[in-house]
Amino acid sequence: AKIIEVIQQMGMRIKAKWGSNSSQYRRLNLSNPNQFNDGILLINSRSIHSKLIEYLPDLEEFGLTEEKLLEFENLNQEFEIAIKHFDDIVAMRDEKTLERVNLGNQLYDLVVRYTNFGRILYNKKSPAKYNDYIIYRGRKSSNKNNKKAIADN
């Protein structure tokens, strides 16, 4: 992701100035940003940005400018918006899934109601038509068990 690339570029500036064993570099927590989830990555990115503001005078000779820090802050804001947008999409998907399940349950209830009417109408009148209104159990069991009807519907 773009934000990880920028974090690594900022880390290279610190490493070039003070080295990878310096306290300044360790404070950035750059161990492996690819393993962070989005929320942790955003928190760390904002933390890195605030530390870079402190280090700005020392890192100007390594190409860090206020403009680059502003771009980094804008990237953080865009990333936060993208996270919120993704969360909204996931919530909408969950709502639509629940809506489909409820509609499916309503349809099943309606089918059960009409099969009950059909069984009542054709009981002892027409075995063929009666059998058309029987809802069978799932196909996982043996063939004998498949023919057992759900009578309490």
Side-chain angles (χ1 to χ4, degrees):
K2 175 99 172 136
I3 199 158
I4 292 174
E5 291 175 23
V6 172
I7 288 171
Q8 290 170 340
Q9 290 170 2
M10 299 300 174
M12 285 190 295
R13 287 182 171 89
I14 302 254
K15 196 186 288 188
K17 173 74 176 173
W18 291 295
S20 59
N21 291 326
S22 67
S23 64
Q24 291 88 348
Y25 185 78
R26 286 192 308 254
R27 281 182 66 199
L28 295 183
N29 191 20
L30 294 172
S31 56
N32 193 354
N34 290 318
Q35 292 181 346
F36 296 144
N37 66 34
D38 290 343
I40 300 295
L41 181 60
L42 181 62
I43 290 169
N44 282 349
S45 182
R46 289 194 186 280
S47 174
I48 290 167
H49 179 266
S50 66
K51 289 170 186 146
L52 287 172
I53 290 172
E54 292 176 32
Y55 302 154
L56 180 61
D58 297 323
L59 295 174
E60 284 179 332
E61 65 183 289
F62 292 94
L64 185 63
T65 62
E66 287 184 25
E67 183 180 318
K68 289 192 186 222
L69 286 175
L70 182 61
E71 289 173 8
F72 188 29
E73 176 58 26
N74 290 339
L75 186 62
N76 284 333
Q77 289 174 357
E78 289 173 16
F79 186 55
E80 182 176 13
I81 290 168
I83 290 171
K84 288 179 183 178
H85 181 67
F86 179 77
D87 290 344
D88 291 344
I89 289 173
V90 168
M92 186 186 330
R93 181 193 64 200
D94 291 345
E95 289 172 15
K96 293 296 181 182
T97 298
L98 184 59
E99 197 176 296
R100 285 190 304 275
V101 167
N102 289 334
L103 288 172
N105 288 339
Q106 289 174 0
L107 180 61
Y108 179 78
D109 291 342
L110 188 63
V111 167
V112 167
R113 184 181 321 153
Y114 285 113
T115 59
N116 287 337
F117 290 144
R119 287 196 324 255
I120 291 169
L121 286 173
Y122 295 110
N123 189 18
K124 297 181 184 176
K125 290 183 183 175
S126 172
K129 287 185 179 181
Y130 178 83
N131 287 336
D132 288 343
Y133 290 94
I134 295 177
I135 299 176
Y136 291 96
R137 295 190 189 271
R139 301 276 180 204
K140 293 180 184 176
S141 56
S142 71
N143 204 14
K144 288 181 184 178
N145 289 337
N146 281 342
K147 294 192 178 188
K148 288 184 178 178
I150 300 174
D152 27 302
N153 287 335

